[in-house]
Amino acid sequence: MAEFDLDAYVARSRAVDLSAFHWDDVPRYAVSADSIRTLRYMQDIESHTIIYLRSLLATRAIDDPEVATFLGCWLYEETFHGIALRRFLEAAGHPEGPRPQPRGQEPFLKRIEAAATSMVSRAWADFCAVHMTWGAINELTTLTGYRRLAAVAKHPVLTDLLEQIMLDESRHFYFYYRQAEIRLQRPAVARVARLLVDRFWAPVGSGVQPTRELEFLAGYLFSDVEGLAAARKVDDTIRRLPGFATVQLLEAWMNRHVGGRNGNGHH
Ligand SMILES: [Fe+2]
Ligand SMILES: [Fe+2]
């Protein structure tokens, strides 16, 4: 895998251009209730990025200048993903209502932080490896989720929008993945990172949105043949990281949470 060119990324980092989409055409094509429900979830998670970052800034992850530079641009781009998805929902006649609960803490991240701090004496380098691994999994899952939604929803304006967003998500994934790959070279670090992922990982949005919403989305996007293949591809990509060859992620989670609903599960 080639190096991630941080200078080129920073130079190119920009907001999704909202003027580039044909918002007036949105109501001309049907959007199913299931797609709307999925988009609401995704919109909420994109908007949650700043809260997620708050938790990260409380760790020493930002001591690394490359990571700090990346996170600044990353937050900016993710924020605009939330704005763009909100705009689509409005144009489709489903404006965002008030959020049931104010954005609070990120319980799973807090748990990791506490565990990492107590389990690892050389806390910072190791924690950053976990953070980068976690980020790679989240970004790849998000990217794959958007690709699946575009395929399932078949709405031309949504497809245009998601394609733009996916360009950002693939760059985000690449940054985290390369960082993780480098940091996990040290077997001791890889062992701890793997332990924490095994113990604490759950799909992106867990702890932010109710589990039933996540299960719905997973069933909608990942339970048919193409969806399951996409989920497996995420798992296989993460398994190429040092120390992660046997990690159980999306497919295992699907089997635990969505298995019963999978009516066409050919394996
Ligand atoms: Fe995003
Ligand atoms: Fe992203």
Side-chain angles (χ1 to χ4, degrees):
M1 207 179 235
E3 285 305 310
F4 181 91
D5 189 340
L6 187 63
D7 291 339
Y9 168 72
V10 170
R12 258 200 320 243
S13 175
R14 52 195 283 278
V16 170
D17 179 6
L18 295 179
S19 70
F21 304 102
H22 301 283
W23 302 109
D24 293 345
D25 290 350
V26 170
R28 293 177 49 210
Y29 306 92
V31 195
S32 71
D34 288 354
S35 292
I36 293 292
R37 188 171 169 187
T38 301
L39 278 162
R40 281 197 192 291
Y41 183 95
M42 291 167 156
Q43 198 279 334
D44 190 66
I45 301 311
E46 292 283 8
S47 307
H48 192 79
T49 307
I50 192 160
I51 309 290
Y52 178 78
L53 186 64
R54 180 183 66 183
S55 311
L56 284 175
L57 296 182
T59 73
R60 299 173 64 190
I62 49 157
D63 284 359
D64 181 303
E66 289 196 0
V67 172
T69 301
F70 170 80
L71 289 177
C73 296
W74 170 77
L75 173 67
Y76 177 65
E77 293 176 2
E78 301 291 20
T79 300
F80 272 88
H81 297 169
I83 291 171
L85 293 177
R86 190 193 306 141
R87 177 81 184 266
F88 181 87
L89 283 164
E90 272 165 23
H94 296 272
E96 188 186 28
R99 203 170 189 276
Q101 310 153 299
R103 295 187 186 280
Q105 294 184 332
E106 194 100 8
F108 70 95
L109 198 77
K110 288 288 166 207
R111 289 209 309 266
I112 279 197
E113 211 182 295
T117 311
S118 63
M119 289 169 63
V120 186
S121 48
R122 298 170 306 279
W124 114 255
D126 293 356
F127 184 78
C128 203
V130 179
H131 169 203
M132 295 296 114
T133 306
W134 200 275
I137 301 169
N138 277 2
E139 294 289 346
L140 187 57
T141 308
T142 305
L143 170 63
T144 306
Y146 284 142
R147 189 177 292 134
R148 289 293 304 144
L149 178 61
V152 172
K154 296 186 177 69
H155 185 296
V157 183
L158 183 61
T159 301
D160 285 350
L161 175 58
L162 292 179
E163 274 172 6
Q164 277 306 306
I165 293 179
M166 283 189 280
L167 287 178
D168 290 345
E169 306 299 13
S170 64
R171 284 192 282 264
H172 299 165
F173 162 69
Y174 197 40
F175 175 84
Y176 283 118
Y177 194 84
R178 279 297 294 149
Q179 284 284 333
E181 210 170 35
I182 294 161
R183 289 164 193 272
L184 295 172
Q185 294 296 333
R186 283 164 54 208
V189 174
R191 266 198 304 279
V192 176
R194 173 65 192 274
L195 201 84
L196 291 171
V197 168
D198 283 351
R199 178 87 174 74
F200 295 107
W201 178 83
V204 54
S206 303
V208 179
Q209 281 273 315
T211 305
R212 65 172 184 279
E213 290 306 300
L214 177 59
E215 288 170 349
F216 164 78
L217 178 149
Y220 183 52
L221 297 181
F222 293 110
S223 66
D224 66 359
V225 178
E226 290 85 11
L228 207 53
R232 284 189 181 133
K233 213 170 141 199
V234 172
D235 292 354
D236 288 344
T237 304
I238 300 303
R239 286 183 185 132
R240 278 184 233 121
L241 288 173
F244 279 72
T246 55
V247 75
Q248 298 293 316
L249 297 170
L250 287 186
E251 187 179 4
W253 189 92
M254 290 282 298
N255 287 339
R256 287 199 305 276
H257 290 260
V258 196
R261 263 175 259 167
N262 181 1
N264 45 356
H266 332 155
H267 289 247

